[in-house]
Amino acid sequence: MRAIKILLIKEFQQIFRNPAILRMILVMPAVQLIIMPFAANYEVKNINLAIVNHDNSQYSQQLVNKILSSGYFKLSINTQSYDVALNSVEKDKTDVIIEIPSNFEKDLIKESKTKIFVSANAVNPSKAGIGSAYVMGIIREFNSAILAQLVQQPKFNNIPRIEATPIFWYNKFLNYKMYMVPGILVSLITMVGSLLASINLVQEKEIGTMEQINVTPIKKWQFILGKLIPFWIMGIVMLTIGMTISYLIFGIFPQGSFGLIYLFAAFYLIGLLGIGLLISTIAETQLQANFIGFFVIMFFNMLSGLFTPLDGMPQWAKYLALANPVTYFIEVMRMVIMKGSGFFDVLPQFFALIVMAIVFNSLAILNYHKTN
Amino acid sequence: MSEKVLITKNLTKKFGDFVAVDNISFDLEKGEIFGFLGANGAGKTTAMKMLIGISKPTSGSATVAGFDIYKQTELVKSNIGYMSQKFSLYDDLTVIENIRFFAGIYGLSDKEIKEKSDILIEKLEMKSEINTLVASLPLGWKQKLSFSIAIVHNPKIVFLDEPTGGVDPASRRLFWDLIYEAAHNGTTVFVTTHYMDEAEYCNRVSIMVDGRIEALDSPFNLKKQFKVNSIDEVFHQLARKATRQAD
C-alpha cells in the first residue's frame, strides 16, 4: 500500500506541474462541449433553392411564396431558364431546383392535373433527400388547399383528410443538442482514458525511468495501479466538469440519477484504461502511442452511434459496434440523462461494460508480461 | 576470507541462435570496484540486465547480494542499486521530490527518508537547489544526484551502466570520488565504461569480447600479462580479435 501511495504522490506532483495536462482536463472539455454540439447538428435548414418559373400565374406565384415562407429555404436564384439554375447547382450555390411548367395554372384548372419538376443536388445526400421531401410536403399541402377551393360541393363542407399529430417524448422540442451533448461527454472521457494514459506510460519507457523502476522492488501491478488511478480520477473530474458545463450552457440536467452515471463512468474508465495500457505495451514511442490511440478513438467514435444511428449500419458494422465500449456508455448516458432510466433499464449495458473491462485489462496485462 | 556479494557460474543468454553472453563466471567481493569493459555489442548490457533481474538467463547460475537471480528477483532488487547512462531521474520533479520518491519505493520509512535526504543534500552541497527541477540542473550534478539516489537504500552492490557518458573530465573526477566513498563504505561497485582511464581506477577489470570474458584481473596484473603500459592497449589487443559487429 505504501508503495502505491508513493507512486501516486509522484504522479500527482507531475500532473499538477504539467500545464498541458491541466489545460487538457479543464479547457478541452469546455471548448469541445461549447462548440461541438453546434457543429454536429443534423437539422437541415437554409436549403438553397432555385426557382425556374415558366408560368408567372397567380397559382404558381402562390406556390412559390408558400415554399419560401416555410422557413427551410433560401432563394438562391429566380430564373426563366433551367440551364441557368443548373449552372448555379454546379457552382454549389443551389441545392434544390423547382421547375414550374408554362401551362401550370391552365393545366391545373382545365385538365385538373399538371406536373412540377424537382431536382436536387445529391452530393450531400441528406440535404438533397430532406430538401426535396420538404418541397413535396409543401406541394401536397398546396394541392389539397386548391382542391378545397375548386371542389365546392355543398354536401361536403370539408374534404375528408387524416391529420397526424406527433408527440415527442423525452425531447419535446426536438433539440438536437440534448442528444449530442451526452455523447460528446463520453468521447471526451474516452480521450483521457485511452490516449493520455498510454502516452504517459510510453513516456516513462522513452526517458528510461521505466527501466529504473523495473530494477526497484516495486511490483509491476503496483506500478500499473499507480499509473491508472490518477487517470481514472482525471476522467471522473473531467466528467464532472463536462456535466457542469452542459448544465450551465445548454441547461441539460440529468433526468436520472447522478449516482448511476458515475457508477457507469467508473467501470467504463477501468475498461478504457485497459485499452490505454494495451496501447502502451505495443507502442515504443509517444508518437506511435499517439497514432495508435488516435486510430482507436476514431474507430470507437464512428462505430458508437455518436454521430450516426447504429440501426442504419450494415450487420457486420453492428457487430463491431457491440464490441465497442463507447457504444454502451453513450447509450446509457442518453438514456439516463434524457429519459431518466434507472439501473435495471441499463443492466445489459452494465454487464457489457464489465465484461469489456475484464477483457481489455486481461489482454493488456498479458501483453505487458510478454513485452517486459 | 572476504565476503562474496556476487557469484556467477557459466551464465549464458541466447537470443535464438545468437549467443549474447557466453558462459561467463566471476565473483565480486565486498567493497570492490569492478570495471566491466567491452566494445559495443560485446554483451555487457545483456550480462548486466541478467544480474539486476530484468532479463532471465538461458542457463548458468548467479547469486547477487546473496540471493538467487532466478528465484529471488524481488530480494535481489531490494539489495542492489542501479544507475543507467540516461541518469533516469524524473526531470519534472524537484531534487528533493526525486530523492523522496526513490527512497520511498525502496521501502525506507518517512523518518529514514528525512535523515537520508538531509545527509545526501549536505554531501552534494545542493541545499540551495532542493526545490529546483532536475531538468534545469547541470549534467554533472544530475549524475551525482542520480548516483546518490541509486545508493540511498545502502545496497550491497550498485550497478553503473556507463555512468560518465557525456560528462566533462572534471565532473568525471568528482564522480569517481563518490564511487570511492561508496566502496569505502562497503558497497560493491560494478561499473561499465568506455573510458580506459576510468578502468585504471578499478580494483579489478574484466574485458568482454564476443560474449566471453577474455581477461579478468587487476589493472596492474593485466598490463604485466599483456606486456603493455595501459589498460587501453590491453583492450585494443583483445578487441581486435572480435568478430562480432558493434551494434
Side-chain angles (χ1 to χ4, degrees):
Chain A
M1 263 347 267
R2 183 175 152 80
I4 290 183
K5 187 184 128 197
I6 286 162
L7 286 164
L8 287 179
I9 291 175
K10 169 227 151 206
E11 215 58 52
F12 279 111
Q13 281 167 341
Q14 289 179 305
I15 288 169
F16 284 116
R17 196 159 283 145
N18 187 341
I21 289 196
L22 284 182
R23 254 178 255 145
M24 223 183 285
I25 301 173
L26 300 171
V27 182
M28 196 172 85
V31 173
Q32 288 222 26
L33 271 174
I34 294 168
I35 295 172
M36 290 260 282
F38 290 98
N41 192 332
Y42 284 85
E43 288 176 71
V44 175
K45 273 186 194 159
N46 298 327
I47 300 163
N48 295 309
L49 182 76
I51 290 172
V52 186
N53 192 348
H54 299 297
D55 193 43
N56 276 331
S57 60
Q58 198 195 338
Y59 274 140
S60 71
Q61 202 49 52
Q62 270 177 16
L63 177 62
V64 168
N65 285 344
K66 199 169 168 69
I67 292 173
L68 289 179
S69 61
S70 69
Y72 298 114
F73 298 98
K74 233 168 61 185
L75 184 68
S76 66
I77 190 166
N78 193 347
T79 167
Q80 303 282 333
S81 145
Y82 184 74
D83 289 340
V84 173
L86 200 59
N87 192 261
S88 150
V89 170
E90 272 163 16
K91 286 183 182 147
D92 227 10
K93 285 184 179 146
T94 292
D95 302 309
V96 177
I97 304 173
I98 302 179
E99 192 179 20
I100 301 173
S102 51
N103 297 327
F104 178 71
E105 194 179 76
K106 209 172 84 195
D107 287 354
L108 193 62
I109 296 170
K110 289 206 171 141
E111 318 273 325
S112 351
K113 74 178 212 193
T114 180
K115 277 186 177 159
I116 289 182
F117 183 57
V118 177
S119 63
N121 172 8
V123 167
N124 180 341
S126 83
K127 212 171 184 181
I130 293 172
S132 51
Y134 283 163
V135 171
M136 314 292 211
I138 293 167
I139 292 173
R140 208 176 305 123
E141 226 173 85
F142 183 71
N143 201 358
S144 55
I146 294 172
L147 216 64
Q149 233 176 58
L150 293 182
V151 189
Q152 284 183 343
Q153 291 176 333
K155 272 190 187 169
F156 305 99
N157 281 343
N158 279 314
I159 305 147
R161 54 189 249 198
I162 299 169
E163 196 174 324
T165 321
I167 295 178
F168 298 109
W169 285 97
Y170 312 122
N171 189 356
K172 242 192 268 180
F173 303 107
L174 296 183
N175 180 353
Y176 212 78
K177 287 169 199 92
M178 285 277 283
Y179 182 68
M180 284 316 290
V181 167
I184 291 169
L185 262 173
V186 173
S187 80
L188 274 173
I189 301 169
T190 310
M191 292 278 274
V192 191
S194 51
L195 205 55
L196 277 191
S198 66
I199 289 175
N200 182 288
L201 274 158
V202 173
Q203 188 185 9
E204 295 243 3
K205 243 198 248 187
E206 260 185 334
I207 58 178
T209 42
M210 184 88 107
E211 192 188 39
Q212 191 71 45
I213 299 279
N214 275 343
V215 297
T216 69
I218 288 280
K219 292 182 183 68
K220 273 176 189 148
W221 65 267
Q222 293 172 323
F223 179 71
I224 292 174
L225 266 189
K227 277 285 171 197
L228 299 192
I229 291 172
F231 285 98
W232 185 88
I233 294 175
M234 268 200 264
I236 295 288
V237 169
M238 220 159 151
L239 175 66
T240 309
I241 294 172
M243 288 211 292
T244 311
I245 291 172
S246 45
Y247 174 66
L248 291 179
I249 294 187
F250 303 107
I252 296 173
F253 193 85
Q255 300 290 314
S257 89
F258 277 101
L260 190 55
I261 293 177
Y262 279 95
L263 178 76
F264 265 86
F267 282 97
Y268 178 66
L269 277 165
I270 293 174
L272 273 191
L273 289 168
I275 295 172
L277 188 62
L278 187 61
I279 294 175
S280 79
T281 60
I282 301 167
E284 283 303 319
T285 64
Q286 292 182 61
L287 194 68
Q288 285 175 12
N290 229 323
F291 272 116
I292 302 173
F294 213 79
F295 173 77
V296 170
I297 285 176
M298 271 291 251
F299 202 78
F300 273 7
N301 280 344
M302 286 307 187
L303 273 175
S304 66
L306 171 60
F307 299 114
T308 46
L310 292 181
D311 299 327
M313 295 179 189
Q315 197 56 41
W316 57 267
K318 276 187 210 165
Y319 287 131
L320 283 178
L322 286 181
N324 178 359
V326 184
T327 310
Y328 298 99
F329 195 37
I330 286 184
E331 252 172 47
V332 169
M333 285 289 269
R334 283 175 177 160
M335 284 168 82
V336 176
I337 290 180
M338 295 174 69
K339 290 164 69 172
S341 300
F343 182 68
F344 290 102
D345 299 322
V346 291
L347 209 55
Q349 284 90 339
F350 187 66
F351 283 125
L353 278 185
I354 288 185
V355 168
M356 271 182 222
I358 294 171
V359 169
F360 287 130
N361 281 287
S362 313
L363 277 178
I365 290 167
L366 266 175
N367 214 32
Y368 192 87
H369 279 295
K370 234 189 276 168
T371 47
N372 286 276
Chain B
M1 200 191 118
S2 57
E3 191 188 331
K4 300 269 190 240
V5 288
L6 185 147
I7 303 162
T8 71
K9 265 206 191 83
N10 304 321
L11 203 61
T12 300
K13 177 84 186 185
K14 290 181 189 165
F15 298 104
D17 290 337
F18 178 72
V19 187
V21 174
D22 191 0
N23 275 298
I24 60 171
S25 307
F26 59 92
D27 302 342
L28 298 191
E29 282 166 21
K30 185 172 193 268
E32 179 179 22
I33 301 174
F34 183 75
F36 199 57
L37 311 186
N40 287 337
K44 286 181 315 226
T45 307
T46 311
M48 193 184 229
K49 279 188 172 164
M50 289 190 279
L51 297 175
I52 60 177
I54 56 176
S55 169
K56 285 254 178 282
T58 311
S59 62
S61 66
T63 58
V64 174
F67 300 105
D68 185 85
I69 59 166
Y70 289 96
K71 291 177 201 136
Q72 298 169 300
T73 37
E74 298 302 323
L75 284 165
V76 168
K77 287 176 179 178
S78 298
N79 286 284
I80 61 168
Y82 171 66
M83 170 183 169
S84 79
Q85 48 197 328
K86 294 180 182 168
F87 321 143
S88 311
L89 301 168
Y90 287 98
D91 269 354
D92 51 353
L93 293 183
T94 65
V95 170
I96 190 73
E97 285 166 351
N98 265 292
I99 297 173
R100 282 190 195 133
F101 172 69
F102 283 105
I105 60 175
Y106 275 110
L108 272 62
S109 70
D110 289 339
K111 189 164 155 267
E112 286 170 318
I113 293 175
K114 173 105 190 43
E115 283 167 11
K116 267 283 182 183
S117 49
D118 286 347
I119 296 169
L120 206 153
I121 296 286
E122 186 78 31
K123 196 172 76 187
L124 295 175
E125 297 169 357
M126 288 176 91
K127 212 171 183 82
S128 58
E129 305 292 335
I130 57 169
N131 291 319
T132 306
L133 290 184
V134 164
S136 49
L137 288 181
L139 200 58
W141 288 33
K142 261 192 219 179
Q143 175 200 43
K144 285 197 289 181
L145 180 63
S146 180
F147 178 72
S148 305
I149 287 176
I151 57 168
V152 72
H153 54 301
N154 291 324
K156 294 208 172 109
I157 173 165
V158 61
F159 292 85
L160 310 175
D161 190 6
E162 293 176 27
T164 51
V167 181
D168 63 80
S171 298
R172 270 170 54 198
R173 186 63 243 184
L174 287 170
F175 185 75
W176 273 86
D177 286 344
L178 286 178
I179 293 183
Y180 279 127
E181 194 192 319
H184 182 75
N185 292 333
T187 300
T188 303
V189 179
F190 180 105
V191 54
T192 74
T193 179
H194 282 303
Y195 297 107
M196 291 306 145
D197 58 327
E198 288 184 351
E200 308 266 358
Y201 305 148
C202 298
N203 300 115
R204 283 193 307 156
V205 180
S206 78
I207 297 176
M208 246 181 131
V209 179
D210 289 351
R212 286 182 300 276
I213 290 183
E214 289 292 336
L216 197 169
D217 212 329
S218 68
F220 179 79
N221 287 343
L222 280 180
K223 283 183 275 188
K224 212 164 74 178
Q225 182 192 334
F226 285 85
K227 299 187 180 67
V228 290
N229 294 321
S230 69
I231 290 295
D232 195 27
E233 289 170 70
V234 176
F235 185 79
H236 281 292
Q237 280 196 22
L238 289 170
R240 218 174 287 140
K241 296 188 215 156
T243 52
R244 215 184 259 179
Q245 289 289 311
D247 52 19

